[in-house]
Amino acid sequence: MKKRLVVLTGAGMSAESGIATFRGAGGLWNNERVEDVATPEGFHRNPQKVLDFYNKRRKELFDVEPNEGHRILAELEEKFDVRIITQNVDNLHERGGSSNVIHLHGELMKVRSMGGKEEVFELTEDNLEIHVGDKCPKGYQLRPHIVWFGEPVPEIENAVKEVEKADIFLIIGTSMQVYPAAGLINYAPRDIPIYLIDPNQVLLHNDRVQVIQKGASEGMKEFVSLVE
Ligand code: OAD
């Protein structure tokens, strides 16, 4: 049986594809206030501003490609049972060839109805924008299928179950500042190896982690040489 490799990824995973991270120099949150574009209150105050923020980011997906790090993760499926838990809302893991991806914070290419019973719709390349007044067939306004700050993270339970069953846990490109995602490390079984790939120092309250201080692509090559 293949060993189960559970991977937690963040914005740094997609940095080498050209998608900006959130924090640090050049980060998205230097230009936009989280409260304005990533909270239910911000959406209530100025829905079109929020829709435009995600419309723009959705379009960016068509200007970028998966990087070597994404591709190596997909190739690892030959040797490992790879389960990816991503905080990213892009689709680069899937486009890189990975088959098991949990999106903790939602997906840019999906929108959902604001009506009582949640209905999710997939957007297509010829229909990438949503605007105030765009409604689902039942007449409710559409919103991005994104987990905003202060909202529940419905996929967290599935993610916890994956981490609890891991034989190896690998963290790539996340500052580990946003919960509950950052808390997933605490569910890793006690006796398994934990690796972290990040070119910068990440503050972790866990001394079991083996740090590979490199970018995602180079870091993935080193990880492969360590586990194969
Ligand atoms: P951050 O922007 O907080 O952290 C990105 C991490 O990627 C940092 O630790 C960087 O050092 C690292 N990094 C930079 N370049 C890299 C590279 N080439 N290879 C690997 N790592 C690199 O992003 P996240 O931790 O993903 O949520 O942020 C978590 C959540 O906060 C996001 O999902 C988003 C945000 O607000 C929502 O919007 C709900």
Side-chain angles (χ1 to χ4, degrees):
M1 221 169 57
K2 288 177 183 169
K3 279 192 176 172
R4 192 181 283 242
L5 169 62
V6 179
V7 189
L8 172 66
T9 68
M13 183 79 227
S14 300
E16 288 160 21
S17 295
I19 298 182
T21 60
F22 293 95
R23 297 169 183 82
L28 265 179
W29 294 154
N30 296 327
N31 304 323
E32 296 284 354
R33 280 165 23 112
V34 174
E35 309 84 69
D36 288 344
V37 296
T39 61
E41 295 78 17
F43 185 66
H44 187 71
R45 273 197 304 274
N46 190 343
Q48 194 58 55
K49 179 184 170 75
V50 177
L51 295 179
D52 285 341
F53 176 74
Y54 292 98
N55 286 343
K56 187 167 160 228
R57 295 183 61 208
R58 197 175 295 119
K59 278 192 186 155
E60 277 169 10
L61 290 184
F62 292 84
D63 300 327
V64 298
E65 297 290 335
N67 62 55
E68 207 175 353
H70 292 109
R71 285 193 289 270
I72 295 173
L73 269 179
E75 283 162 16
L76 277 174
E77 290 187 10
E78 280 174 27
K79 298 202 167 116
F80 293 91
D81 179 1
V82 182
R83 308 295 169 110
I84 296 174
I85 302 162
T86 187
Q87 297 166 79
N88 299 343
V89 295
D90 64 48
N91 52 11
L92 294 179
H93 280 303
E94 288 88 346
R95 286 164 56 193
S98 286
S99 9
N100 298 304
V101 186
I102 292 178
H103 283 271
L104 275 184
H105 294 163
E107 292 175 72
L108 275 174
M109 286 303 291
K110 293 181 179 169
V111 295
R112 66 173 185 256
S113 142
M114 295 188 70
K117 195 168 179 299
E118 269 188 12
E119 282 181 285
V120 177
F121 305 90
E122 189 112 25
L123 295 177
T124 53
E125 190 172 355
D126 53 4
N127 177 28
L128 285 177
E129 293 192 3
I130 51 172
H131 298 276
V132 172
D134 288 349
K135 298 193 171 137
C136 74
K138 290 184 186 150
Y140 296 105
Q141 174 67 42
L142 294 172
R143 61 161 275 181
H145 186 52
I146 300 282
V147 173
W148 288 325
F149 284 91
E151 293 189 316
V153 182
E155 287 293 337
I156 195 69
E157 283 175 27
N158 289 333
V160 166
K161 283 184 199 147
E162 292 294 357
V163 178
E164 284 175 337
K165 285 185 281 187
D167 295 308
I168 303 174
F169 187 46
L170 168 63
I171 302 166
I172 310 169
T174 168
S175 61
M176 298 290 272
Q177 290 186 33
V178 174
Y179 285 80
L184 283 171
I185 189 172
N186 301 319
Y187 293 91
R190 281 183 187 283
D191 52 345
I192 68 160
I194 303 179
Y195 297 88
L196 179 138
I197 298 173
D198 200 297
N200 299 303
Q201 232 170 9
V202 177
L203 193 63
L204 281 179
H205 308 284
N206 190 312
D207 51 15
R208 292 164 53 197
V209 178
Q210 302 178 54
V211 177
I212 301 172
Q213 197 165 355
K214 291 188 173 167
S217 300
E218 288 309 307
M220 277 309 294
K221 287 183 205 161
E222 185 167 330
F223 172 77
V224 169
S225 74
L226 291 171
V227 294
E228 277 195 336

